[in-house]
Amino acid sequence: MSGFLKSSIGRKVAMALSAFFLMFFLLQHFAINMLSVFSPETFNEVSYFMGNNPLVQYGLQPVLLFGVVFHFVMGFILELKNKKAQGVAYAKNNGAANSSWVSRNMIYTGVAILLFMIFHFNDFWVPEIVEKYVEGKSQVGKDFHAHVVHMFENPIRVGVYVLAFVFLALHLMHGFTSAFQSVGGTAGRKKTLQNIGKAYSIIIPLGFVIIAIYHHFNH
Amino acid sequence: MSGKGMNLTLKIWRQKDAKSKGKMETYKVNDISEHMSFLEMMDVLNEQLIAEGQEPVAFDHDCREGICGMCSMYINGEAHGPDRGVTTCQLHMRMFKDGDTITIEPFRAAAFPVIKDLVVDRTSFERIQQAGGYISVNTSGNTQDANAIPISKHAADEAMDAATCIGCGACVATCKNSSAMLFVGAKVSQYALLPQGQVEAADRVKNMVAQMDLEGFGNCTNTGACEVECPKGISLDNIARMNRELIKASI
Ligand code: HEM
Ligand code: SF4
Ligand code: FES
């Protein structure tokens, strides 16, 4: 079993499993954010729950952090190994003749997402943690919705978020179906799942973009 | 035919031996018939170079009919050139136009070091095969007739499709990660699909993947480039099957 994780294929399987987890998390994140548009009260209640329920805080949150870190660290490891496997660079290489741009540039779209995540954590996650665990303040009755709206007043922040979601869409455009192949399935090569993948990688990021723009214009 | 052939400019990787640093050199060939194969065009160039007292371009070839997997070459940025489902020896010059400049490079990968010019060392593939690409059969004279073992048409067809891999290495050459997974996937699959392959299935996939990693091939990102460039149309499904086989063998 330990040999499996050290093998090229084992790494790919682990990469795909972390990716499945992230894609599932993204759905959940998306659903909660949607509440901020349709029902600020419910959004506040759910935000309080997610931020203060011990099971979420001490159970799910560490798993999520591990999943994110694992995914990008493994992404970098694979990229380094792949770079080493290459010989002398071709004088002429026609990649577009046989593969999609998104599939050849996962590391670049991934790094863009990573940079965004640092920015995003600094926007929302760090202040939350400081408030709860450093200052020890109670979040009972906190208006999370107002904080979100306030954050998106800044057009530069909205721009950064929109751009980041374009990169996320590009990453998922290849990643969604690729993950199925990595775990040994052929379903990702069939029309049905390719369409679901396309829908997921467009609708979810687009939804996040709409939420950001909505709050920018509705404060 | 004379006078109606193509005049071409060739940019070719020249490298004296494994240790030397190579570089691209430019050559001209004239009056090339569109009916020639790419290797015949290379023969014309080499005749010309020999006549001029220059060193001919070394390149691999053997059968010249698409079955041995010896010919290689990265032509205009694609393994085995711009056509689909063909090896370089089957590539017709009619794929090119008069006045074209054609870039010709060796297959590139750390695990495929250049021996000379366009010739690369692909023995890493042989070592992967030796690690498990076989079945152990008693050949003492009382071997069971293969036809006595029932095999479904579907499995037989898929195994045969996988077995058409000629080990040319185009999949590695074309992969941005220099991954050999299409080749190894095909070699694992051709046995995994048949009853004769079951006994050694777990060891086979483990040992072949371990050897593949040891040789320094990269990791698959599922770009699908290999499947497009493979002269034998080996399907990516074989990589998924190999992944399944390894998962099965490891747990
Ligand atoms: C944190 C920054 C991220 C980095 C640096 C990153 C990097 C990568 C890289 C390099 C790959 C290709 C790995 C390979 O060669 O097989 C990959 C695959 C993938 N990523 Fe990311 N990624 C990031 C974030 C995300 C996020 C947030 C999601 C989804 C919500 C995601 C979903 C996927 C999927 C589905 C795959 C395909 C897995 C596979 O091919 O098996 N990634 N990522
Ligand atoms: S899988 Fe295709 S490209 Fe790769 S070695 Fe076999 S025949 Fe050549
Ligand atoms: S020379 Fe045998 S396949 Fe091309």
Side-chain angles (χ1 to χ4, degrees):
Chain A
M1 195 64 216
S2 70
F4 178 68
L5 278 178
K6 283 203 198 85
S7 79
S8 51
I9 292 172
R11 285 202 184 90
K12 280 297 323 218
V13 171
M15 185 76 192
L17 292 178
S18 70
F20 274 126
F21 173 72
L22 289 178
M23 288 193 291
F24 184 74
F25 165 76
L26 202 67
L27 265 184
Q28 178 265 130
H29 196 336
F30 176 73
I32 294 178
N33 284 19
M34 266 297 167
L35 291 174
S36 74
V37 171
F38 294 109
S39 170
E41 298 78 38
T42 323
F43 177 73
N44 281 340
E45 276 170 35
V46 175
S47 297
Y48 178 80
F49 175 80
M50 296 305 276
N52 294 275
N53 182 289
L55 216 62
V56 177
Q57 278 297 296
Y58 307 116
L60 296 183
Q61 183 163 267
V63 175
L64 173 64
L65 289 176
F66 175 78
V68 173
V69 173
F70 182 91
H71 185 77
F72 74 73
V73 169
M74 191 58 103
F76 286 130
I77 291 176
L78 287 172
E79 178 67 15
L80 287 177
K81 288 198 166 283
N82 292 341
K83 275 264 154 348
K84 225 180 98 194
Q86 289 161 23
V88 176
Y90 285 113
K92 185 167 181 185
N93 193 9
N94 188 0
N98 48 43
S99 53
S100 65
W101 186 91
V102 281
S103 73
R104 280 177 277 126
N105 292 282
M106 288 299 275
I107 190 67
Y108 300 109
T109 49
V111 165
I113 300 169
L114 179 59
L115 293 177
F116 164 75
M117 274 167 65
I118 296 169
F119 184 75
H120 178 57
F121 267 53
N122 188 50
D123 272 359
F124 291 98
W125 189 74
V126 175
E128 284 278 315
I129 294 295
V130 170
E131 184 176 72
K132 283 184 296 196
Y133 303 116
V134 181
E135 297 168 357
K137 277 195 207 144
S138 158
Q139 289 190 321
V140 180
K142 178 177 167 177
D143 193 350
F144 292 91
H145 179 262
H147 178 58
V148 170
V149 174
H150 171 70
M151 293 304 272
F152 287 110
E153 274 171 21
N154 186 342
I156 296 173
R157 178 171 284 108
V158 175
V160 169
Y161 275 64
V162 170
L163 194 67
F165 284 113
V166 171
F167 282 113
L168 181 64
L170 294 173
H171 197 71
L172 292 171
M173 210 83 92
H174 175 68
F176 188 95
T177 47
S178 173
F180 287 87
Q181 172 87 5
S182 296
V183 294
T186 48
R189 312 238 300 135
K190 307 264 160 33
K191 261 265 140 336
T192 318
L193 224 72
Q194 283 177 349
N195 288 336
I196 295 174
K198 252 185 228 143
Y200 179 94
S201 46
I202 292 170
I203 293 171
I204 303 292
L206 187 66
F208 278 109
V209 164
I210 291 171
I211 294 169
I213 293 177
Y214 173 86
H215 289 309
H216 179 67
F217 288 108
N218 285 279
H219 59 267
Chain B
M1 200 186 78
S2 158
K4 279 165 67 188
M6 291 179 266
N7 297 339
L8 302 166
T9 304
L10 307 174
K11 289 193 168 154
I12 304 178
W13 180 263
R14 300 303 307 263
Q15 183 173 336
K16 201 160 154 278
D17 52 39
K19 286 189 192 69
S20 313
K21 235 178 105 98
K23 64 172 190 306
M24 299 299 287
E25 298 271 10
T26 306
Y27 303 94
K28 294 223 182 271
V29 282
N30 295 327
D31 202 18
I32 297 296
S33 159
E34 60 167 20
H35 303 300
M36 280 182 186
S37 76
F38 200 85
L39 295 189
E40 284 167 335
M41 183 278 293
M42 292 298 290
D43 293 337
V44 171
L45 169 70
N46 277 346
E47 293 292 339
Q48 188 177 308
L49 289 177
I50 292 166
E52 290 167 1
Q54 292 188 57
E55 178 86 6
V57 179
F59 61 88
D60 265 325
H61 62 112
D62 190 13
C63 71
R64 295 208 176 195
E65 55 181 2
I67 55 170
C68 74
M70 265 321 271
C71 60
S72 46
M73 295 194 198
Y74 213 67
I75 302 162
N76 275 351
E78 287 185 77
H80 297 299
D83 209 355
R84 293 288 170 253
V86 296
T87 51
T88 298
C89 60
Q90 296 171 298
L91 180 66
H92 275 104
M93 290 312 294
R94 68 177 70 104
M95 293 299 292
F96 302 92
K97 291 191 311 292
D98 185 32
D100 274 1
T101 297
I102 307 175
T103 307
I104 309 167
E105 297 172 79
F107 278 1
R108 300 287 194 193
F112 285 173
V114 172
I115 297 171
K116 185 181 168 72
D117 297 337
L118 303 172
V119 179
V120 299
D121 181 350
R122 285 170 282 179
T123 50
S124 44
F125 267 19
E126 275 152 44
R127 289 187 291 273
I128 295 173
Q129 274 290 66
Q130 286 156 9
Y134 54 80
I135 54 167
S136 306
V137 198
N138 185 345
T139 51
S140 60
N142 44 18
T143 314
Q144 187 183 4
D145 181 20
N147 286 322
I149 305 168
I151 298 168
S152 79
K153 169 88 173 110
H154 186 66
D157 284 352
E158 277 196 294
M160 191 60 209
D161 285 348
T164 56
C165 163
I166 54 176
C168 65
C171 43
V172 172
T174 205
C175 176
K176 79 174 192 61
N177 307 325
S178 300
S179 166
M181 290 204 191
L182 195 64
F183 165 74
V184 185
K187 296 300 168 198
V188 165
S189 289
Q190 75 185 51
Y191 299 110
L193 286 157
L194 300 177
Q196 291 94 326
Q198 300 313 309
V199 185
E200 292 154 307
D203 284 344
R204 172 178 308 112
V205 68
K206 279 191 192 165
N207 294 340
M208 289 181 85
V209 170
Q211 189 64 33
M212 169 179 87
D213 292 348
L214 199 66
E215 299 288 348
F217 290 103
N219 306 272
C220 175
T221 305
N222 308 318
T223 68
C226 52
E227 177 186 57
V228 175
E229 298 293 346
C230 172
K232 298 297 155 188
I234 300 293
S235 162
L236 272 192
D237 291 354
N238 290 295
I239 300 183
R241 184 177 298 104
M242 169 175 64
N243 293 5
R244 284 200 299 282
E245 287 289 313
L246 190 73
I247 294 170
K248 239 188 345 192
S250 306
I251 52 179

